[in-house]
């Protein structure tokens, strides 16, 4: 398949991990989510686009061991709950592929790799869902040798990958039907192809809706402090020809008050049993503004994002990230030395602000405890 992982653009370092880079100056690069995966397995390595470098540089990391995969997740070279889950699955396949152990020693190595990957990002439930699925597959092959285990785990990781793309396309079409023709939609953070194995959750809805003539323009919150909206969502939409306008996070209320936004569509990293939604910091504020202005607030996420064992958003762990993400930009300090900083990566939007939750199996509405359970069991 012709794509972005062609040999002439790839460089390996030390045989285990490396980077390939395509310079693009000040111009972002085209992106075709239907063809080019966010993360993939190639020649016994995990290959992923380094999202920290976008949109000015297109760089790919070639990761030769599970520790490098864990570092890529922790440092947000790959991010977005579904993409993190897929990446972790490939990381566990890689751990067994690279191992030379058998029997009890292989079990110990697998469990250590699973624990390391699980420690990278605490909020995204897809990470733990994928790890548990890979663990179940590993245990099912306990009587086989390492080579058979490695093949089975790689097949399972590829299945998780393919299922995520299919889920995104299905929820995209289901969510598109919720929007009126010509809608002007606000989205927050990046819940696009880059945040998944392909197509996207919130941006999957927007892609399908634009295809069907239901989206005339997308307003993209920049999404401080990591700027996923400005760097990633704007990049995806711009190069697919979907009309998009970038705004700072504090402009959303002004545009809603002026009647310039018709609906909000966001993704999620974890959805509690009662319908409370954890998503990128700033989502809660957008939901409150949407309710104040009578606008629908839709959440798009696969069933693997549902955490029905978690009763409410109060029990969802919220990751706190480094102060430098707030005090610095582009490696340059913007805030005074010694200033106290808070940097929660996520917030929780209470279910009462959520108009509907779209997944690959249907659309859930309040009361969410019953509707989410029904879709999860479908």
């Amino acid at each position: 398949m012709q794509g972005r992982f062609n040999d002439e653009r790839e460089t390996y370092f030390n045989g285990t991990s490396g980077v390939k880079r395509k310079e693009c100056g000040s111009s972002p690069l085209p992106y075709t989510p239907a063809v080019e995966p966010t993360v993939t397995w190639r020649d016994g390595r995990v290959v992923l686009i380094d999202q920290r470098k976008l949109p000015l540089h297109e760089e790919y990391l070639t990761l030769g061991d599970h520790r490098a995969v864990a570092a890529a997740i922790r440092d947000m070279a790959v991010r977005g709950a579904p993409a993190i889950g897929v990446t972790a699955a490939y990381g566990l396949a890689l751990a067994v592929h690279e191992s030379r152990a058998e029997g009890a020693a292989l079990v110990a190595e697998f469990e250590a790799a699973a624990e390391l990957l699980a420690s990278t990002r605490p909020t995204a439930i897809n990470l733990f869902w994928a790890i548990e699925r890979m663990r179940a597959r590993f245990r099912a092959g306990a009587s086989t040798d390492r080579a058979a285990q490695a093949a089975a785990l790689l097949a399972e990781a590829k299945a998780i990958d393919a299922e995520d793309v299919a889920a995104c396309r299905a929820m995209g079409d289901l969510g598109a039907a919720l929007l009126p023709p010509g809608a002007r939609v606000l989205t927050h953070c990046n819940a696009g192809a880059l945040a998944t194995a392909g197509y996207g959750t919130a941006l999957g809805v927007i892609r399908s809706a634009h295809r069907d003539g239901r989206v005339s323009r997308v307003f993209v919150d920049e999404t401080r402090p990591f700027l996923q909206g400005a760097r990633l969502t704007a990049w995806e939409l711009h190069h697919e020809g979907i009309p998009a306008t970038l705004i700072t996070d504090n402009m959303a209320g002004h545009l809603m008050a002026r009647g310039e936004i018709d609906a909000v569509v966001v993704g999620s990293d974890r959805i509690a049993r009662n319908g409370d939604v954890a998503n990128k910091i700033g989502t809660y504020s957008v939901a409150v503004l949407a309710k104040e202005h009578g606008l629908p607030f839709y959440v798009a996420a696969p069933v693997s994002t549902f955490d029905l064992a978690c009763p409410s958003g109060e029990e969802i762990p919220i990751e706190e990230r480094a102060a430098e993400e707030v005090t610095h930009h582009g490696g340059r300090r913007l805030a005074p030395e010694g200033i106290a900083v808070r940097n929660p990566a996520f917030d929780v939007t209470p279910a009462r602000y959520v108009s509907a939750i779209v997944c690959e199996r249907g659309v859930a509405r309040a009361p969410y405890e019953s509707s989410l359970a029904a879709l999860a069991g479908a």
Side-chain angles (χ1 to χ4, degrees):
M1 181 179 68
Q2 184 66 30
R4 57 191 185 193
F5 303 118
N6 51 79
D7 291 337
E8 64 193 27
R9 286 164 49 191
E10 185 155 13
T11 303
Y12 288 87
F13 293 87
N14 302 322
T16 57
S17 63
V19 61
K20 67 177 180 181
R21 177 171 179 163
K22 183 173 181 180
E23 298 286 352
C24 45
S26 61
S27 299
L29 292 158
Y31 182 72
T32 310
V35 175
E36 302 180 1
T38 300
V39 57
T40 193
W41 179 274
R42 184 169 185 262
D43 297 332
R45 300 288 185 267
V46 177
V47 181
L48 55 87
I49 188 167
D50 188 345
Q51 298 186 35
R52 299 166 300 184
K53 307 296 184 180
L54 292 171
L56 299 183
H57 303 291
E58 187 177 8
E59 295 186 9
Y60 303 92
L61 301 176
T62 302
L63 309 175
D65 65 63
H66 71 277
R67 297 172 188 83
V69 174
I73 296 172
R74 182 174 53 251
D75 298 340
M76 294 180 67
V78 61
R79 28 69 52 206
I84 288 171
V86 173
T87 302
Y90 280 126
L92 286 173
L94 183 60
V96 175
H97 179 79
E98 289 297 300
S99 176
R100 294 296 174 264
E102 296 283 356
L106 181 61
V107 172
E109 287 189 9
F110 177 88
E111 289 299 332
E115 291 303 315
L116 177 63
L117 288 160
S119 71
T120 55
R121 302 289 305 275
T123 303
I125 191 64
N126 307 64
L127 170 65
F128 306 99
W129 170 86
I131 289 171
E132 286 307 310
R133 181 163 160 178
M134 294 294 284
R135 181 177 276 126
R137 187 65 190 85
F138 180 79
R139 289 173 177 169
S143 62
T144 63
D145 62 17
R146 185 197 60 79
Q149 282 278 40
L153 288 172
L154 178 57
E156 191 72 8
K158 288 183 174 180
I160 291 171
D161 188 339
E163 290 166 17
D164 185 67
V165 176
C168 287
R169 291 188 176 278
M171 79 180 77
D173 290 349
L174 288 165
L178 300 175
L179 299 174
R184 298 157 299 174
V185 177
L186 174 72
T187 193
H188 189 74
C189 195
N190 173 260
L194 290 168
T196 64
Y199 204 67
T201 55
L203 284 197
V205 171
I206 288 168
R207 283 187 169 94
S208 293
H210 180 260
R211 176 200 65 201
D212 296 344
R214 291 181 174 273
V215 165
S216 61
R217 179 160 296 276
V218 183
F219 288 93
V220 180
D221 276 349
E222 62 175 353
T223 317
R224 282 280 293 153
F226 216 67
L227 300 177
Q228 293 96 325
R231 295 187 302 105
L232 306 178
T233 299
W235 186 60
E236 290 194 41
L237 295 174
H238 180 64
H239 287 288
E240 289 189 54
I242 299 176
T245 299
L246 178 64
I247 63 173
T248 63
D249 295 351
N250 53 7
M251 294 178 184
H254 171 70
L255 295 178
M256 290 178 184
R258 290 172 58 89
E260 297 184 33
I261 293 172
D262 301 306
V264 178
V265 183
V266 300
S268 175
D269 287 76
R270 190 183 299 221
I271 299 174
R273 186 169 66 233
N274 71 340
D276 289 351
V277 173
N279 194 46
K280 185 53 55 186
I281 192 73
T283 302
Y284 176 36
S285 302
V286 173
V288 172
L289 287 168
K291 191 173 185 69
E292 172 65 22
H293 293 90
L295 302 176
F297 181 91
Y298 299 123
V299 176
V303 170
S304 58
T305 302
F306 297 1
D307 186 1
L308 301 186
C310 180
S312 74
E314 292 183 3
E315 288 76 31
I316 296 176
I318 300 298
E319 177 185 7
E320 288 265 354
R321 293 188 59 81
E324 287 75 18
E325 291 180 359
V326 176
T327 60
H328 290 67
H329 179 68
R332 185 167 65 91
R333 174 174 283 279
L334 302 177
E337 291 272 6
I339 188 69
V341 174
R342 288 293 308 276
N343 187 19
F346 303 94
D347 58 26
V348 174
T349 298
R352 64 182 179 274
Y353 293 102
V354 179
S355 304
I357 297 172
V358 185
C359 72
E360 67 271 33
R361 298 177 184 173
V363 179
R365 295 186 184 271
Y368 288 109
E369 189 144 345
S370 57
S371 62
L372 291 176
L375 288 173

